[in-house]
Amino acid sequence: MADAVNEETVEEAAFRAKVRAFLEGAATLKAGGADLSNPMGNTDTSKEAEIEHTRASRAWQRTLYDNGWAGITWPKEYGGLGLPAKYARIFAQEESKFNVSVGMLSVALQMVGPTIMAHGTEAQKAEYLPKILRGEHYWCQLYSEPGAGSDLAGLTTRADLDGDEYIVNGQKVWNSGAHFADMGILLVRTNWDVPKHRGITYMLIDMHSPGVEVRPLVQITGHAHFNETFLTNVRIPAANVLGDVDDGWRVTQTTLMHERSMIGAGGGGVTFKAIHELARSCGVTDDRNTRQELAKCYTRFELLKWLGLRARAAAQKGNALGPESSVMKLFISDRVARDGDLLMAIEGANGMLTNADAPANGMWQQVFMSQWSIRIGGGTEQVQRNVLGERVLGLPGEPRPDKTLPFKDVPRN
Ligand SMILES: Cc1cc2nc3c(=O)[nH]c(=O)nc-3n(C[C@H](O)[C@H](O)[C@H](O)COP(=O)(O)OP(=O)(O)OC[C@H]3O[C@@H](n4cnc5c(N)ncnc54)[C@H](O)[C@@H]3O)c2cc1C
């Protein structure tokens, strides 16, 4: 029901068959052939499970690379297949039925790679893009700080030039996957004499550099998915600046747009089919209210699918994503909140149970609790509404008294 198989062209259907044939040879189908398991619902919070997941994700990306399936939408000049976004979606639909995933490598593949392609030097492209496609490097994002989240441009991690290296000091926080990342994309302040957006530089950091200390933080789900990262006199070669010095805000917009649409298109790993299956297994599909809510749920999935295709197609034509990425981010935030309520309503009193006591080993409770990571990560709902209000509806901007002040004169605590 949720698949768009019947809307496919002959070429797309042939592509799907080819993908399916490859997957059947290279991976194993999920239990029962359904798409019931998903990354957000993972109930095993042990360190061993995480190590195995990162190993398996890397191995899967390598398999994709070796078999000519890596970087479906990446341009051919960078080793990709150069295909339109709808083909990546077909691949993802089929892949989700199998026990394989690229996991957190998606940060590298969907956020870092496109940013390096857009802003990198030839040397940077040659150094990093092939390793990303082969799944050799996990990347993490070192943007947020204790005093700079929604107001990211208020960041205070500093970088001072010393010969042909920068010396970096500061603290980052909420850095997903930093504890196993090989490389990071880092925002630092290099100029304190200009307004906040104009003194930021974007750097590529080797996470194994001396002075990088990563401390995991445990979330409501029990997973330690993200971290605090302390940077003390870390030396980063000046050649690792992506784009121009002090022009990092512009570079970062590329990453943020890709991040929002990745979160929007990803859908949190849950499918309508899986929710429908849960309703069936709980015996509530004859209930009138549940049927109404399931219909609304299906509509949300369909709308998100088309929004995702539109954003990916625009990106592929080289058009800046702009506010569409905020629409998608807001839409998926709304979807996961409503789906979470629906899931718990479907389970009824069992919704209060967790882990082995709960249906599906507590997977749906994990999905419910994961909604906030989707709603907050990549920019909160309130912030997306501000973007849309100002850039699409043309409403008056928020008062920003610090926008024109040199950053060193902005009051901070
Ligand atoms: C699961 C997860 C993964 C993440 N991964 C990463 C990562 O890998 N790397 C990274 O750098 N960061 C990461 N983040 C951080 C994320 O980007 C920030 O949490 C987010 O930008 C919000 O910032 P904050 O937490 O500092 O909240 P704050 O900015 O302090 O916001 C607090 C509250 O105030 C509201 N608010 C703030 N400003 C405004 C405003 N102007 N108008 C209206 N309301 C406002 C917010 O909506 C929010 O409700 C992650 C977060 C999560 C939850």
Side-chain angles (χ1 to χ4, degrees):
M1 189 175 179
D3 284 357
V5 178
N6 52 359
E7 297 155 12
E8 275 172 12
T9 63
V10 175
E11 291 78 28
E12 288 161 12
F15 181 80
R16 187 183 290 278
K18 216 170 133 192
V19 170
R20 183 79 196 190
F22 160 67
L23 289 168
E24 280 169 358
T28 48
L29 266 177
K30 285 176 181 167
D35 39 16
L36 272 173
S37 84
N38 65 80
M40 303 311 287
N42 187 357
T43 52
D44 189 343
T45 57
S46 69
K47 187 82 198 149
E48 293 70 30
E50 185 186 68
I51 291 170
E52 173 50 23
H53 182 63
T54 52
R55 187 207 59 74
S57 302
R58 219 189 268 269
W60 179 238
Q61 181 60 26
R62 182 70 208 205
T63 302
L64 294 179
Y65 179 84
D66 288 342
N67 288 275
W69 291 105
I72 291 176
T73 57
W74 279 33
K76 284 187 178 164
E77 61 178 307
Y78 300 129
L81 301 185
L83 289 172
K86 58 192 172 189
Y87 290 95
R89 184 174 174 85
I90 291 173
F91 192 94
Q93 280 173 347
E94 293 303 321
E95 189 187 44
S96 72
K97 297 170 190 163
F98 290 78
N99 266 322
V100 284
S101 151
V102 298
M104 288 293 290
L105 284 171
S106 56
V107 173
L109 289 158
Q110 296 193 49
M111 290 162 53
V112 180
T115 311
I116 293 178
M117 285 178 218
H119 302 279
T121 60
E122 289 312 311
Q124 287 168 338
K125 290 175 189 170
E127 167 73 15
Y128 299 111
L129 296 179
K131 289 181 183 156
I132 291 176
L133 268 194
R134 293 196 295 261
E136 284 170 25
H137 276 171
Y138 273 100
W139 285 72
C140 68
Q141 185 189 35
L142 303 165
Y143 281 15
S144 306
E145 298 182 1
S150 301
D151 180 22
L152 183 59
L155 61 92
T156 57
T157 292
R158 63 180 304 137
D160 298 288
L161 192 59
D162 180 35
D164 57 1
E165 290 177 329
Y166 281 91
I167 302 176
V168 176
N169 282 284
Q171 187 200 334
K172 298 290 176 177
V173 72
W174 317 126
N175 313 118
S176 306
H179 52 304
F180 52 77
D182 306 286
M183 294 290 301
I185 44 176
L186 171 70
L187 291 185
V188 292
R189 188 161 302 281
T190 37
N191 190 341
W192 301 70
D193 296 324
V194 291
K196 60 182 182 179
H197 293 92
R198 302 206 329 241
I200 293 172
T201 298
Y202 195 117
M203 293 184 178
L204 311 177
I205 176 174
D206 180 343
M207 291 300 286
H208 306 297
S209 307
V212 177
E213 187 194 345
V214 179
R215 298 186 198 163
L217 296 165
V218 179
Q219 293 162 261
I220 186 176
T221 56
H223 291 276
H225 158 90
F226 52 29
N227 305 270
E228 299 177 287
T229 305
F230 295 85
L231 305 162
T232 311
N233 293 325
V234 180
R235 290 190 163 266
I236 301 181
N240 283 25
V241 169
L242 190 68
D244 292 328
V245 173
D246 295 345
D247 194 30
W249 191 250
R250 194 172 65 87
V251 181
T252 238
Q253 295 315 306
T254 305
T255 316
L256 290 176
M257 280 187 285
H258 282 281
E259 177 178 23
R260 283 177 207 138
S261 49
M262 177 182 86
I263 295 172
V270 178
T271 62
F272 172 76
K273 194 171 161 192
I275 296 176
H276 190 222
E277 289 289 330
L278 177 72
R280 265 190 216 281
S281 68
C282 293
V284 293
T285 43
D286 287 339
D287 174 69
R288 244 193 254 170
N289 285 341
T290 308
R291 292 173 76 83
Q292 275 299 323
E293 292 306 320
L294 282 170
K296 288 185 202 164
C297 175
Y298 177 73
T299 310
R300 290 194 290 271
F301 271 94
E302 284 297 290
L303 287 173
L304 198 61
K305 179 183 80 184
W306 292 110
L307 278 173
L309 284 176
R310 193 161 69 173
R312 281 198 195 174
Q316 203 174 20
K317 281 189 199 147
N319 301 337
L321 286 180
E324 294 95 330
S325 62
S326 293
V327 173
M328 284 185 59
K329 178 67 177 49
L330 196 52
F331 198 93
I332 185 142
S333 297
D334 182 69
R335 208 214 76 200
V336 294
R338 290 174 193 266
D339 290 351
D341 290 348
L342 174 59
L343 289 167
M344 293 303 105
I346 287 172
E347 289 201 354
N350 284 340
M352 291 185 282
L353 303 173
T354 56
N355 299 328
D357 294 333
N361 212 22
M363 182 184 86
W364 294 113
Q365 280 70 10
Q366 286 283 331
V367 171
F368 175 80
M369 290 189 288
S370 297
Q371 66 175 276
W372 286 278
S373 63
I374 294 177
R375 294 168 65 182
I376 299 171
T380 66
E381 287 145 288
Q382 290 83 356
V383 167
Q384 305 310 328
R385 285 198 179 91
N386 284 350
V387 171
L388 293 173
E390 292 179 23
R391 296 200 203 150
V392 180
L393 302 178
L395 297 174
E398 280 191 280
R400 294 187 179 97
D402 59 349
K403 202 173 171 186
T404 49
L405 277 183
F407 190 72
K408 65 177 187 317
D409 297 333
V410 173
R412 287 187 299 278
N413 54 23

